Amino acid sequence: MKKITTLCAALLLAYLAPAAQAAETSGEHPSVKRPTSMPPSADLSYNLKVKQSGLALNGTATVQWRAGDGKYSISTESRAAIFGKVVENRSEGGIDDYGLAPVSFYEKRMRKEPYTTSFKRDAKAIAFTESDVTYPILGGEQDRSSAQWQLAALGRAAPDKFKAGSEWHMFVAGRRDAEQWSFKVVGIENVQTGAGDVSAVHLVKAPPPDAKGQQVDLWLAPSMDWYPVRVRFNDNDGDFVDQTLEKVVKK
């Protein structure tokens, strides 16, 4: 049950990756300013499939994405068969010259105490309730929920740059530390959604060569305002979590 809960929680990618394997605590990381264009506000519903130690589970995930007036919010909830609600999280902040600028990331997992990662803009520091580590805010830093939406905003602003082989880097804060993430564009693929086949840009975040973390696959649909239409987390033992879009309602 513990591992299933952790995997489902990772979905709420809504954060795109597992816990950092060996985050640098020096705080040094690149800061790159790129054009962004926020997807329209929407409620998104996903079907969820989980395989854990030979056990198959189904579930649902919902994402409330809001952007406007220089602010954004992301509220995510995931439910799995048998367990009910396994995780909920919220990412809130502003929109600046770097794109999404998180102020706080809150997460509550089933049977665990909630935690908050704070982006203290006045002090220009990222802080955690789960550790005493801090990192400087240089511009463009994300949390695990905002990262995929930052990619969507980058894609909307510069779709021609999301070509096979291109790589997109960002510094992402998690539960108790932060690390550099790198997404590589694989190409264009069709994804079967609740609305039928959708053409989507497939990106992959592989774990570092010396780590045993999850591989994260993300599909963003240009014809649907670059909304995430599928996210898949693959463990090296064959277990996975697969989230596919069922419905989008723009707000």
Side-chain angles (χ1 to χ4, degrees):
M1 181 183 296
K2 182 178 179 181
K3 189 173 182 182
I4 293 173
T5 302
T6 302
L7 287 171
C8 291
L11 258 176
L12 303 174
L13 189 232
Y15 24 80
L16 298 171
Q21 297 296 321
E24 294 292 335
T25 57
S26 66
E28 295 299 326
H29 59 273
S31 175
V32 180
K33 189 180 296 183
R34 303 186 183 94
T36 57
S37 174
M38 298 298 138
S41 297
D43 291 342
L44 302 93
S45 302
Y46 295 86
N47 289 323
L48 179 65
K49 294 183 179 180
V50 179
K51 180 184 177 184
Q52 163 60 37
S53 302
L55 177 65
L57 292 174
N58 294 321
T60 60
T62 58
V63 179
Q64 292 183 340
W65 157 257
R66 300 291 184 270
D69 298 325
K71 299 179 181 179
Y72 85 90
S73 65
I74 309 165
S75 297
T76 307
E77 182 178 293
S78 186
R79 294 178 176 271
I82 303 174
F83 302 108
K85 183 165 65 175
V86 293
V87 65
E88 60 179 311
N89 63 40
R90 297 190 302 270
S91 174
E92 299 176 332
I95 300 172
D96 62 16
D97 291 341
Y98 291 88
L100 296 182
V103 171
S104 67
F105 176 71
Y106 167 92
E107 180 178 278
K108 175 66 175 72
R109 300 184 184 185
M110 184 175 69
R111 298 181 180 178
K112 290 185 178 295
E113 292 298 315
Y115 74 88
T116 300
T117 297
S118 299
F119 296 74
K120 300 181 178 180
R121 297 287 161 181
D122 292 341
K124 297 186 180 300
I126 304 173
F128 310 85
T129 57
E130 297 292 290
S131 75
D132 294 328
V133 176
T134 61
Y135 298 85
I137 293 178
L138 305 178
E141 295 82 4
Q142 302 299 320
D143 60 51
R144 293 183 183 178
S145 189
S146 68
Q148 64 177 311
W149 291 94
Q150 176 75 351
L151 283 170
L154 291 168
R156 279 172 52 84
D160 293 343
K161 295 186 180 296
F162 275 69
K163 298 178 180 179
S166 64
E167 294 189 20
W168 301 84
H169 308 278
M170 61 185 70
F171 194 67
V172 180
R175 184 183 186 98
R176 56 178 59 89
D177 50 30
E179 66 177 348
Q180 188 79 2
W181 285 9
S182 177
F183 289 89
K184 186 173 183 178
V185 176
V186 176
I188 305 296
E189 299 175 2
N190 285 335
V191 175
Q192 180 65 43
T193 72
D197 278 344
V198 175
S199 180
V201 177
H202 181 191
L203 300 99
V204 173
K205 178 193 175 297
D210 59 346
K212 296 182 179 180
Q214 293 170 327
Q215 174 176 305
V216 182
D217 291 76
L218 172 65
W219 287 263
L220 302 173
S223 66
M224 299 179 68
D225 289 302
W226 288 77
Y227 292 129
V229 292
R230 186 184 178 192
V231 186
R232 182 181 173 97
F233 300 83
N234 298 284
D235 282 354
N236 56 11
D237 61 1
D239 289 344
F240 66 83
V241 177
D242 203 341
Q243 175 179 303
T244 305
L245 184 69
E246 178 64 23
K247 183 174 66 174
V248 175
V249 179
K250 292 186 178 180
K251 296 294 182 178

mmCIF file of all heavy atoms in Angstrom, residues 21-22 31 36 52 63-64 79 91 96 116 143 173 177 189-190 198 243 246:
data_model
loop_
_atom_site.group_PDB
_atom_site.id
_atom_site.type_symbol
_atom_site.label_atom_id
_atom_site.label_comp_id
_atom_site.label_asym_id
_atom_site.label_seq_id
_atom_site.Cartn_x
_atom_site.Cartn_y
_atom_site.Cartn_z
ATOM 1 N N GLN A 21 17.257 12.429 -6.126
ATOM 2 C CA GLN A 21 18.166 11.361 -5.733
ATOM 3 C C GLN A 21 19.393 11.913 -5.002
ATOM 4 O O GLN A 21 19.868 11.336 -4.044
ATOM 5 C CB GLN A 21 18.618 10.590 -6.984
ATOM 6 C CG GLN A 21 17.463 9.901 -7.707
ATOM 7 C CD GLN A 21 16.830 8.836 -6.856
ATOM 8 O OE1 GLN A 21 17.508 8.107 -6.139
ATOM 9 N NE2 GLN A 21 15.517 8.727 -6.915
ATOM 10 N N ALA A 22 19.918 13.030 -5.500
ATOM 11 C CA ALA A 22 21.115 13.593 -4.878
ATOM 12 C C ALA A 22 21.165 15.080 -5.193
ATOM 13 O O ALA A 22 21.995 15.546 -5.952
ATOM 14 C CB ALA A 22 22.378 12.890 -5.379
ATOM 15 N N SER A 31 19.645 29.918 -14.757
ATOM 16 C CA SER A 31 18.392 30.658 -14.839
ATOM 17 C C SER A 31 18.269 31.199 -16.258
ATOM 18 O O SER A 31 19.081 32.025 -16.686
ATOM 19 C CB SER A 31 18.383 31.806 -13.829
ATOM 20 O OG SER A 31 17.222 32.598 -13.970
ATOM 21 N N THR A 36 6.806 32.827 -22.665
ATOM 22 C CA THR A 36 5.787 31.870 -22.251
ATOM 23 C C THR A 36 4.404 32.399 -22.627
ATOM 24 O O THR A 36 4.210 33.610 -22.770
ATOM 25 C CB THR A 36 5.814 31.618 -20.725
ATOM 26 O OG1 THR A 36 5.654 32.858 -20.028
ATOM 27 C CG2 THR A 36 7.122 30.956 -20.305
ATOM 28 N N GLN A 52 1.344 -2.334 -9.644
ATOM 29 C CA GLN A 52 2.243 -2.391 -8.491
ATOM 30 C C GLN A 52 2.395 -3.836 -8.053
ATOM 31 O O GLN A 52 1.441 -4.447 -7.582
ATOM 32 C CB GLN A 52 1.695 -1.524 -7.356
ATOM 33 C CG GLN A 52 2.285 -1.800 -5.992
ATOM 34 C CD GLN A 52 3.784 -1.577 -5.966
ATOM 35 O OE1 GLN A 52 4.276 -0.674 -6.606
ATOM 36 N NE2 GLN A 52 4.492 -2.393 -5.226
ATOM 37 N N VAL A 63 -7.627 17.938 -12.245
ATOM 38 C CA VAL A 63 -6.732 19.089 -12.148
ATOM 39 C C VAL A 63 -7.535 20.350 -12.449
ATOM 40 O O VAL A 63 -8.192 20.434 -13.487
ATOM 41 C CB VAL A 63 -5.556 18.980 -13.136
ATOM 42 C CG1 VAL A 63 -4.662 20.214 -13.027
ATOM 43 C CG2 VAL A 63 -4.745 17.720 -12.895
ATOM 44 N N GLN A 64 -7.472 21.297 -11.540
ATOM 45 C CA GLN A 64 -8.053 22.617 -11.777
ATOM 46 C C GLN A 64 -6.910 23.582 -12.052
ATOM 47 O O GLN A 64 -6.112 23.884 -11.150
ATOM 48 C CB GLN A 64 -8.862 23.084 -10.567
ATOM 49 C CG GLN A 64 -10.133 22.285 -10.321
ATOM 50 C CD GLN A 64 -10.937 22.827 -9.157
ATOM 51 O OE1 GLN A 64 -10.414 23.542 -8.295
ATOM 52 N NE2 GLN A 64 -12.209 22.504 -9.118
ATOM 53 N N ARG A 79 -7.575 9.839 -6.937
ATOM 54 C CA ARG A 79 -8.276 8.779 -6.213
ATOM 55 C C ARG A 79 -7.995 7.439 -6.887
ATOM 56 O O ARG A 79 -7.992 7.351 -8.113
ATOM 57 C CB ARG A 79 -9.788 9.038 -6.199
ATOM 58 C CG ARG A 79 -10.182 10.274 -5.412
ATOM 59 C CD ARG A 79 -11.682 10.534 -5.461
ATOM 60 N NE ARG A 79 -12.046 11.670 -4.631
ATOM 61 C CZ ARG A 79 -12.361 11.604 -3.350
ATOM 62 N NH1 ARG A 79 -12.375 10.409 -2.739
ATOM 63 N NH2 ARG A 79 -12.660 12.680 -2.661
ATOM 64 N N SER A 91 -0.554 24.223 -6.030
ATOM 65 C CA SER A 91 0.552 25.107 -6.376
ATOM 66 C C SER A 91 -0.044 26.466 -6.705
ATOM 67 O O SER A 91 -0.976 26.561 -7.501
ATOM 68 C CB SER A 91 1.330 24.567 -7.583
ATOM 69 O OG SER A 91 2.318 25.499 -8.003
ATOM 70 N N ASP A 96 5.583 35.782 -14.084
ATOM 71 C CA ASP A 96 6.542 36.848 -14.304
ATOM 72 C C ASP A 96 7.250 36.670 -15.640
ATOM 73 O O ASP A 96 6.783 35.918 -16.504
ATOM 74 C CB ASP A 96 7.535 36.937 -13.141
ATOM 75 C CG ASP A 96 8.382 35.675 -12.967
ATOM 76 O OD1 ASP A 96 8.429 34.841 -13.912
ATOM 77 O OD2 ASP A 96 9.014 35.528 -11.893
ATOM 78 N N THR A 116 4.723 21.719 3.023
ATOM 79 C CA THR A 116 4.676 22.902 2.166
ATOM 80 C C THR A 116 6.079 23.295 1.750
ATOM 81 O O THR A 116 7.000 23.328 2.579
ATOM 82 C CB THR A 116 4.019 24.093 2.897
ATOM 83 O OG1 THR A 116 2.687 23.750 3.278
ATOM 84 C CG2 THR A 116 3.983 25.319 1.993
ATOM 85 N N ASP A 143 7.894 24.081 -8.951
ATOM 86 C CA ASP A 143 7.630 22.957 -8.064
ATOM 87 C C ASP A 143 7.183 21.774 -8.915
ATOM 88 O O ASP A 143 7.082 21.881 -10.142
ATOM 89 C CB ASP A 143 6.591 23.320 -6.994
ATOM 90 C CG ASP A 143 5.244 23.740 -7.582
ATOM 91 O OD1 ASP A 143 4.700 22.994 -8.423
ATOM 92 O OD2 ASP A 143 4.728 24.804 -7.205
ATOM 93 N N ALA A 173 11.742 22.250 -7.253
ATOM 94 C CA ALA A 173 11.740 21.988 -5.816
ATOM 95 C C ALA A 173 10.715 20.913 -5.490
ATOM 96 O O ALA A 173 9.601 20.920 -6.007
ATOM 97 C CB ALA A 173 11.418 23.266 -5.047
ATOM 98 N N ASP A 177 14.052 19.113 -0.962
ATOM 99 C CA ASP A 177 15.212 19.640 -1.676
ATOM 100 C C ASP A 177 14.807 19.959 -3.114
ATOM 101 O O ASP A 177 13.620 19.915 -3.449
ATOM 102 C CB ASP A 177 16.392 18.658 -1.627
ATOM 103 C CG ASP A 177 15.988 17.243 -2.029
ATOM 104 O OD1 ASP A 177 15.054 17.101 -2.840
ATOM 105 O OD2 ASP A 177 16.596 16.280 -1.528
ATOM 106 N N GLU A 189 3.392 12.051 -31.374
ATOM 107 C CA GLU A 189 2.710 10.767 -31.299
ATOM 108 C C GLU A 189 1.219 10.985 -31.076
ATOM 109 O O GLU A 189 0.804 12.033 -30.565
ATOM 110 C CB GLU A 189 3.278 9.926 -30.153
ATOM 111 C CG GLU A 189 4.756 9.598 -30.300
ATOM 112 C CD GLU A 189 5.328 8.873 -29.084
ATOM 113 O OE1 GLU A 189 4.563 8.595 -28.145
ATOM 114 O OE2 GLU A 189 6.526 8.598 -29.087
ATOM 115 N N ASN A 190 0.408 10.008 -31.440
ATOM 116 C CA ASN A 190 -1.018 10.054 -31.181
ATOM 117 C C ASN A 190 -1.312 9.475 -29.800
ATOM 118 O O ASN A 190 -0.745 8.455 -29.413
ATOM 119 C CB ASN A 190 -1.804 9.268 -32.232
ATOM 120 C CG ASN A 190 -1.889 10.008 -33.555
ATOM 121 O OD1 ASN A 190 -1.785 11.235 -33.592
ATOM 122 N ND2 ASN A 190 -2.095 9.279 -34.634
ATOM 123 N N VAL A 198 -5.460 12.226 -30.341
ATOM 124 C CA VAL A 198 -4.934 13.583 -30.318
ATOM 125 C C VAL A 198 -3.435 13.522 -30.603
ATOM 126 O O VAL A 198 -2.721 12.697 -30.029
ATOM 127 C CB VAL A 198 -5.171 14.252 -28.943
ATOM 128 C CG1 VAL A 198 -4.511 15.617 -28.898
ATOM 129 C CG2 VAL A 198 -6.658 14.368 -28.662
ATOM 130 N N GLN A 243 -1.525 8.085 -16.595
ATOM 131 C CA GLN A 243 -2.644 9.029 -16.483
ATOM 132 C C GLN A 243 -2.988 9.559 -17.853
ATOM 133 O O GLN A 243 -2.131 10.152 -18.526
ATOM 134 C CB GLN A 243 -2.234 10.170 -15.540
ATOM 135 C CG GLN A 243 -3.239 11.287 -15.411
ATOM 136 C CD GLN A 243 -2.762 12.346 -14.444
ATOM 137 O OE1 GLN A 243 -2.481 12.057 -13.277
ATOM 138 N NE2 GLN A 243 -2.626 13.570 -14.907
ATOM 139 N N GLU A 246 -9.321 12.414 -20.013
ATOM 140 C CA GLU A 246 -10.668 12.001 -20.363
ATOM 141 C C GLU A 246 -11.505 13.181 -20.843
ATOM 142 O O GLU A 246 -12.235 13.070 -21.825
ATOM 143 C CB GLU A 246 -11.339 11.351 -19.138
ATOM 144 C CG GLU A 246 -12.787 10.923 -19.355
ATOM 145 C CD GLU A 246 -12.940 9.841 -20.399
ATOM 146 O OE1 GLU A 246 -11.953 9.108 -20.643
ATOM 147 O OE2 GLU A 246 -14.030 9.727 -20.983
#
